[in-house]
Amino acid sequence: MARLKLKRFRVKPPAPEVLAHYVRVYDPRELYHHPDSVLPITSESLFGNDHPLVLDLGCGRGEFLVAQAEDHRDLNFLGFDWHVKSLWAATQAAHQAELDNVRLIQVDFRLALPAMPAGSACEVFMLFPQPVFQHNRTSEDPLLESTLRQVQRVLAPEGWFHFVTDHAEYFEIKRALIEQSGLFTVSNESQAYEGGITWFQRFWETRQIESRRLACRKV
Ligand SMILES: C[S@@+](CC[C@H](N)C(=O)[O-])C[C@H]1O[C@@H](n2cnc3c(N)ncnc32)[C@H](O)[C@@H]1O
């Protein structure tokens, strides 16, 4: 089945004060060249408290993030995405649910992770990333070994990394990468994803394409 055309959906831009509350924009050049000079990406700086921080890498329209934030008010939820309209939709959802434990960052998460302190997140999710296979496009792959190492670094001891995809071949490639890295123990694997419904999960599963899931614990 052809991959989805992500950018084709309608969403109104949120009011400026709502955007200002929920969304931070990071300059990729600043992040790359001067990661120490940007506003630190921590619970303290983004939420003004020290609650444990959960990351959603490529949060899209934020269905998972917002549902989890409603269920776990004692945790902070931070979504990363570079697609502006998806972040608008996530912002509207968080605002409608009157959530103050959600923030969103418009950025390439591969650049943002190195700017986070080690051990600053309790859990990291990467749900239904676009798989990349072509050799001339590997730099676009959302989960190269360098990003996997950053995920492991930002996780607190024994923190969890959840990787879910609809794509069988991509799943096997990333499972091999994660297992061979020695950075995680893969302690759980299931075909059906029980952790919350994302837009892409619903799309694939209603077409009888199952979700493949890895739950990986930081060594
Ligand atoms: C296929 S969508 C999945 C969205 C959501 N996780 C879901 O399950 O519905 C992948 C998302 O990741 C975002 N994305 C991909 N690579 C990214 C990167 N390097 N930095 C930030 N966002 C990225 C895309 O903009 C898109 O919103």
Side-chain angles (χ1 to χ4, degrees):
M1 183 179 294
R3 305 300 302 178
L4 299 183
K5 295 289 181 208
L6 171 73
K7 295 183 171 62
R8 289 185 197 153
F9 66 93
R10 287 169 193 258
V11 56
K12 283 188 183 165
E17 65 276 12
V18 176
L19 267 182
H21 182 68
Y22 284 105
V23 181
R24 305 286 179 273
V25 182
Y26 280 74
D27 179 349
R29 280 163 304 185
E30 275 294 300
L31 271 177
Y32 186 76
H33 293 294
H34 310 288
D36 296 337
S37 69
V38 299
L39 181 72
I41 302 173
T42 60
S43 267
E44 285 76 10
S45 67
L46 295 168
F47 297 88
N49 61 42
D50 61 357
H51 296 177
L53 188 60
V54 179
L55 311 181
D56 187 349
L57 306 179
C59 63
R61 304 177 208 192
E63 288 95 339
F64 176 78
L65 200 70
V66 167
Q68 291 288 306
E70 283 186 297
D71 285 353
H72 305 281
R73 305 279 176 153
D74 52 337
L75 302 178
N76 292 328
F77 290 84
L78 182 58
F80 297 83
D81 210 294
W82 55 21
H83 185 232
V84 175
K85 281 171 68 180
S86 294
L87 290 178
W88 286 356
T91 302
Q92 303 279 28
H95 180 57
Q96 274 161 22
E98 299 182 5
L99 290 170
D100 200 29
N101 59 339
V102 170
R103 296 289 184 276
L104 302 155
I105 302 192
Q106 184 191 326
V107 75
D108 181 338
F109 58 71
R110 297 168 303 176
L111 290 177
L113 287 170
M116 293 187 69
S120 54
C122 63
E123 207 160 1
V124 178
F125 291 84
M126 185 180 284
L127 308 177
F128 302 91
Q130 288 105 331
V132 175
F133 297 104
Q134 297 92 324
H135 289 302
N136 59 348
R137 289 183 53 208
T138 47
S139 64
E140 296 170 32
D141 191 329
L143 192 59
L144 292 174
E145 189 183 348
S146 52
T147 304
L148 185 67
R149 287 191 177 281
Q150 289 297 333
V151 169
Q152 197 257 11
R153 191 187 63 80
V154 302
L155 274 171
E158 305 202 337
W160 289 96
F161 172 48
H162 304 271
F163 175 80
V164 187
T165 176
D166 55 278
H167 200 290
E169 189 185 347
Y170 194 64
F171 178 79
E172 292 306 332
I173 292 170
K174 296 309 169 190
R175 176 165 62 176
L177 171 72
I178 293 168
E179 285 177 349
Q180 286 162 19
S181 73
L183 299 171
F184 296 92
T185 49
V186 180
S187 61
N188 174 22
E189 187 183 318
S190 65
Q191 297 290 299
Y193 179 48
E194 67 279 10
I197 297 288
T198 77
W199 193 91
F200 277 83
Q201 179 182 358
R202 196 177 309 116
F203 181 91
W204 294 117
E205 289 183 357
T206 53
R207 286 156 181 80
Q208 276 69 56
I209 295 176
E210 63 197 3
S211 304
R212 293 169 169 80
R213 175 184 195 215
L214 285 179
C216 317
R217 194 158 211 182
K218 175 170 171 166
V219 172

